[in-house]
């Protein structure tokens, strides 16, 4: 999923008018203002997501790893250039695996049944899933196990095939759609552009007047 960076055109028009006599500096200023604003918006979005969901900034930037997933980058900004005055923030749409390394599940390691009676095994509590901060729920159909590559996660077994399937939760794109995350992102984008346009106008005019 890709979110195009939506900025108020009126703010960019201010910069155009202020630097109308210096088109070269105007374009440089627009690129700089947009990209600085995208960086601020990206940080605000990550902060809002980690505030609501039990996921770390390292996971969002690709430093955290989960072998069961194709890509490590969950959020990636694309910046404006002199040839393209637009920017975007890319959000991975693939649902995230419920893996122990992200602290999404409890217990964080498989429970051994060795030496236990069937009665004791039945008494073992169901695993819990913790995706939203401060909330957890039991996951009766699943169990914690070590999959291929050594990844510990929440699995379920097919009724007919017996095949193990890694269980998944929301994608980062889903998380970014939550109202509080959207509000924080939009507010950051608006405030950042206003600030950066004023900064670029002052800076570029000072260069032109030298």
């Amino acid at each position: 999923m890709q979110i195009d960076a939506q900025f108020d055109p009126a703010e960019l028009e201010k910069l155009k008018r202020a630097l109308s006599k210096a088109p070269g500096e105007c374009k440089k200023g627009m690129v700089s203002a947009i990209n600085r604003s995208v960086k601020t918006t990206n940080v605000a979005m990550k902060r809002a997501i980690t505030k609501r969901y039990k996921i770390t900034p390292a996971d969002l930037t690709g430093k955290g790893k989960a072998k069961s997933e194709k890509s490590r980058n969950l959020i990636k900004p694309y910046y404006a250039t002199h040839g393209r005055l637009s920017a975007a923030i890319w959000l991975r749409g693939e649902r995230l695996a419920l893996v122990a390394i992200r602290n999404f599940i409890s217990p964080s390691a498989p429970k051994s049944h060795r030496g236990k009676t069937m009665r004791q095994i039945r008494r073992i509590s169901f695993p819990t899933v913790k995706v939203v901060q401060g909330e957890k729920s039991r996951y009766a159909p699943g169990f914690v196990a070590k999959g291929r590559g050594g990844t510990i996660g929440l699995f379920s077994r097919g009724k007919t095939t017996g095949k193990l399937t890694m269980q998944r939760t929301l994608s980062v794109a889903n998380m970014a759609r939550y109202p509080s995350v959207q509000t924080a992102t939009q507010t950051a984008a608006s405030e950042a552009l206003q600030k950066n346009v004023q900064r670029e106008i002052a800076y570029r005019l000072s260069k032109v007047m030298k």
Side-chain angles (χ1 to χ4, degrees):
M1 172 185 170
Q2 180 171 298
I3 297 177
D4 292 327
Q6 300 291 336
F7 298 120
D8 185 359
E11 290 297 327
L12 295 177
E13 282 299 321
K14 289 180 186 177
L15 198 152
K16 282 183 180 179
R17 288 195 300 270
L19 299 174
S20 59
K21 294 182 180 180
E25 289 298 320
C26 179
K27 181 163 280 191
K28 290 177 184 178
M30 291 182 73
V31 170
S32 179
I34 290 171
N35 288 344
R36 285 175 178 272
S37 301
V38 167
K39 287 180 181 179
T40 301
T41 303
N42 187 37
V43 170
M45 179 188 290
K46 290 176 184 176
R47 188 179 293 124
I49 288 174
T50 55
K51 182 179 179 179
R52 171 162 174 79
Y53 298 99
K54 198 174 175 65
I55 191 168
T56 66
D59 284 322
L60 297 176
T61 56
K63 293 178 182 177
K65 63 178 182 178
K67 293 180 181 178
S68 58
E69 294 166 342
K70 295 176 183 178
S71 172
R72 295 182 183 181
N73 286 324
L74 303 184
I75 297 180
K76 186 176 181 180
Y78 287 92
Y79 297 108
T81 64
H82 293 288
R84 191 193 73 246
L85 291 175
S86 62
I89 298 175
W90 178 83
L91 303 162
R92 200 170 76 196
E94 180 188 2
R95 294 171 64 200
L96 300 180
L98 288 169
V99 290
I101 197 169
R102 288 201 175 120
N103 297 315
F104 279 164
I105 60 173
S106 181
S108 57
K111 292 271 188 177
S112 175
H113 293 176
R114 185 175 296 176
K116 291 184 173 66
T117 65
M118 285 304 298
R119 186 175 181 179
Q120 290 173 321
I121 292 172
R122 290 193 187 98
R123 285 185 171 181
I124 295 175
S125 59
F126 294 123
T128 55
V129 174
K130 300 171 286 184
V131 177
V132 178
Q133 295 283 10
E135 296 180 15
K136 63 179 181 180
S137 58
R138 289 188 176 185
Y139 198 89
F143 53 89
V144 177
K146 184 179 288 188
R148 291 180 180 177
T151 301
I152 296 174
L154 188 63
F155 292 83
S156 66
R157 191 182 297 278
K159 291 183 179 180
T160 55
T161 62
K163 182 181 178 181
L164 291 181
T165 303
M166 174 76 78
Q167 299 304 289
R168 296 181 179 274
T169 184
L170 300 170
S171 68
V172 173
N174 294 142
M175 295 177 180
R177 291 191 187 103
Y178 192 77
S180 66
V181 178
Q182 284 187 326
T183 299
T185 303
Q186 291 165 359
T187 300
S190 176
E191 292 177 351
L193 189 64
Q194 289 178 19
K195 176 183 175 181
N196 289 317
V197 163
Q198 293 303 319
R199 177 189 178 280
E200 288 298 324
I201 289 173
Y203 173 67
R204 300 294 165 182
L205 283 177
S206 69
K207 288 188 69 176
V208 172
M209 293 172 67
K210 284 182 179 179

mmCIF file of all heavy atoms in Angstrom, residues 4-19:
data_model
loop_
_atom_site.group_PDB
_atom_site.id
_atom_site.type_symbol
_atom_site.label_atom_id
_atom_site.label_comp_id
_atom_site.label_asym_id
_atom_site.label_seq_id
_atom_site.Cartn_x
_atom_site.Cartn_y
_atom_site.Cartn_z
ATOM 1 N N ASP A 4 0.175 8.539 -0.757
ATOM 2 C CA ASP A 4 0.770 9.736 -1.351
ATOM 3 C C ASP A 4 0.769 10.836 -0.303
ATOM 4 O O ASP A 4 -0.221 11.037 0.405
ATOM 5 C CB ASP A 4 -0.019 10.183 -2.585
ATOM 6 C CG ASP A 4 0.124 9.197 -3.731
ATOM 7 O OD1 ASP A 4 1.202 8.588 -3.835
ATOM 8 O OD2 ASP A 4 -0.840 9.026 -4.495
ATOM 9 N N ALA A 5 1.884 11.533 -0.189
ATOM 10 C CA ALA A 5 1.991 12.605 0.794
ATOM 11 C C ALA A 5 1.088 13.761 0.359
ATOM 12 O O ALA A 5 1.366 14.437 -0.630
ATOM 13 C CB ALA A 5 3.439 13.064 0.906
ATOM 14 N N GLN A 6 -0.015 13.932 1.083
ATOM 15 C CA GLN A 6 -0.988 14.964 0.736
ATOM 16 C C GLN A 6 -0.689 16.236 1.523
ATOM 17 O O GLN A 6 -0.911 16.296 2.726
ATOM 18 C CB GLN A 6 -2.413 14.471 1.042
ATOM 19 C CG GLN A 6 -2.821 13.217 0.288
ATOM 20 C CD GLN A 6 -2.986 13.462 -1.200
ATOM 21 O OE1 GLN A 6 -3.236 14.580 -1.628
ATOM 22 N NE2 GLN A 6 -2.849 12.424 -2.005
ATOM 23 N N PHE A 7 -0.183 17.266 0.836
ATOM 24 C CA PHE A 7 0.120 18.529 1.474
ATOM 25 C C PHE A 7 -0.785 19.613 0.894
ATOM 26 O O PHE A 7 -1.221 19.530 -0.254
ATOM 27 C CB PHE A 7 1.588 18.907 1.268
ATOM 28 C CG PHE A 7 2.556 17.926 1.873
ATOM 29 C CD1 PHE A 7 3.473 17.261 1.082
ATOM 30 C CD2 PHE A 7 2.542 17.670 3.239
ATOM 31 C CE1 PHE A 7 4.369 16.364 1.637
ATOM 32 C CE2 PHE A 7 3.436 16.772 3.802
ATOM 33 C CZ PHE A 7 4.354 16.114 2.998
ATOM 34 N N ASP A 8 -1.039 20.631 1.679
ATOM 35 C CA ASP A 8 -1.891 21.739 1.251
ATOM 36 C C ASP A 8 -1.220 22.489 0.101
ATOM 37 O O ASP A 8 -0.152 23.093 0.286
ATOM 38 C CB ASP A 8 -2.129 22.679 2.443
ATOM 39 C CG ASP A 8 -3.112 23.788 2.099
ATOM 40 O OD1 ASP A 8 -3.581 23.841 0.944
ATOM 41 O OD2 ASP A 8 -3.416 24.600 2.997
ATOM 42 N N PRO A 9 -1.823 22.495 -1.107
ATOM 43 C CA PRO A 9 -1.224 23.192 -2.255
ATOM 44 C C PRO A 9 -1.014 24.679 -1.983
ATOM 45 O O PRO A 9 -0.106 25.294 -2.548
ATOM 46 C CB PRO A 9 -2.247 22.979 -3.374
ATOM 47 C CG PRO A 9 -3.050 21.782 -2.961
ATOM 48 C CD PRO A 9 -3.084 21.829 -1.463
ATOM 49 N N ALA A 10 -1.854 25.253 -1.115
ATOM 50 C CA ALA A 10 -1.745 26.684 -0.822
ATOM 51 C C ALA A 10 -0.394 27.019 -0.183
ATOM 52 O O ALA A 10 0.160 28.098 -0.406
ATOM 53 C CB ALA A 10 -2.877 27.120 0.107
ATOM 54 N N GLU A 11 0.134 26.075 0.608
ATOM 55 C CA GLU A 11 1.432 26.315 1.239
ATOM 56 C C GLU A 11 2.549 26.359 0.202
ATOM 57 O O GLU A 11 3.440 27.203 0.260
ATOM 58 C CB GLU A 11 1.714 25.220 2.274
ATOM 59 C CG GLU A 11 0.837 25.268 3.510
ATOM 60 C CD GLU A 11 1.039 26.539 4.321
ATOM 61 O OE1 GLU A 11 2.173 27.053 4.350
ATOM 62 O OE2 GLU A 11 0.057 27.027 4.908
ATOM 63 N N LEU A 12 2.487 25.450 -0.753
ATOM 64 C CA LEU A 12 3.505 25.448 -1.811
ATOM 65 C C LEU A 12 3.367 26.670 -2.722
ATOM 66 O O LEU A 12 4.350 27.164 -3.265
ATOM 67 C CB LEU A 12 3.412 24.153 -2.619
ATOM 68 C CG LEU A 12 3.752 22.868 -1.844
ATOM 69 C CD1 LEU A 12 3.551 21.644 -2.735
ATOM 70 C CD2 LEU A 12 5.189 22.902 -1.334
ATOM 71 N N GLU A 13 2.134 27.162 -2.885
ATOM 72 C CA GLU A 13 1.919 28.372 -3.681
ATOM 73 C C GLU A 13 2.588 29.582 -3.028
ATOM 74 O O GLU A 13 3.074 30.479 -3.710
ATOM 75 C CB GLU A 13 0.417 28.637 -3.858
ATOM 76 C CG GLU A 13 -0.245 27.760 -4.909
ATOM 77 C CD GLU A 13 0.348 27.979 -6.300
ATOM 78 O OE1 GLU A 13 0.655 29.137 -6.651
ATOM 79 O OE2 GLU A 13 0.512 26.988 -7.031
ATOM 80 N N LYS A 14 2.589 29.606 -1.697
ATOM 81 C CA LYS A 14 3.264 30.699 -0.984
ATOM 82 C C LYS A 14 4.743 30.739 -1.374
ATOM 83 O O LYS A 14 5.321 31.797 -1.599
ATOM 84 C CB LYS A 14 3.148 30.496 0.531
ATOM 85 C CG LYS A 14 1.769 30.722 1.112
ATOM 86 C CD LYS A 14 1.805 30.486 2.614
ATOM 87 C CE LYS A 14 0.414 30.569 3.221
ATOM 88 N NZ LYS A 14 0.434 30.273 4.684
ATOM 89 N N LEU A 15 5.340 29.556 -1.423
ATOM 90 C CA LEU A 15 6.752 29.467 -1.765
ATOM 91 C C LEU A 15 6.986 29.896 -3.208
ATOM 92 O O LEU A 15 7.936 30.604 -3.517
ATOM 93 C CB LEU A 15 7.246 28.035 -1.525
ATOM 94 C CG LEU A 15 8.769 27.834 -1.413
ATOM 95 C CD1 LEU A 15 9.075 26.625 -0.541
ATOM 96 C CD2 LEU A 15 9.405 27.634 -2.764
ATOM 97 N N LYS A 16 6.073 29.470 -4.103
ATOM 98 C CA LYS A 16 6.190 29.842 -5.522
ATOM 99 C C LYS A 16 6.135 31.358 -5.706
ATOM 100 O O LYS A 16 6.919 31.945 -6.451
ATOM 101 C CB LYS A 16 5.061 29.189 -6.335
ATOM 102 C CG LYS A 16 5.278 27.725 -6.652
ATOM 103 C CD LYS A 16 4.135 27.224 -7.525
ATOM 104 C CE LYS A 16 4.302 25.760 -7.874
ATOM 105 N NZ LYS A 16 3.174 25.276 -8.712
ATOM 106 N N ARG A 17 5.174 31.985 -5.021
ATOM 107 C CA ARG A 17 5.021 33.437 -5.152
ATOM 108 C C ARG A 17 6.235 34.184 -4.589
ATOM 109 O O ARG A 17 6.725 35.144 -5.179
ATOM 110 C CB ARG A 17 3.746 33.899 -4.447
ATOM 111 C CG ARG A 17 2.458 33.511 -5.160
ATOM 112 C CD ARG A 17 1.272 34.299 -4.627
ATOM 113 N NE ARG A 17 1.061 34.063 -3.199
ATOM 114 C CZ ARG A 17 0.298 33.100 -2.700
ATOM 115 N NH1 ARG A 17 -0.336 32.268 -3.531
ATOM 116 N NH2 ARG A 17 0.135 32.966 -1.402
ATOM 117 N N ALA A 18 6.710 33.714 -3.428
ATOM 118 C CA ALA A 18 7.831 34.389 -2.777
ATOM 119 C C ALA A 18 9.111 34.289 -3.606
ATOM 120 O O ALA A 18 9.954 35.184 -3.574
ATOM 121 C CB ALA A 18 8.058 33.808 -1.386
ATOM 122 N N LEU A 19 9.253 33.194 -4.350
ATOM 123 C CA LEU A 19 10.480 32.965 -5.114
ATOM 124 C C LEU A 19 10.228 32.984 -6.626
ATOM 125 O O LEU A 19 10.923 32.325 -7.394
ATOM 126 C CB LEU A 19 11.099 31.623 -4.708
ATOM 127 C CG LEU A 19 11.516 31.496 -3.229
ATOM 128 C CD1 LEU A 19 11.967 30.077 -2.922
ATOM 129 C CD2 LEU A 19 12.616 32.493 -2.894
#
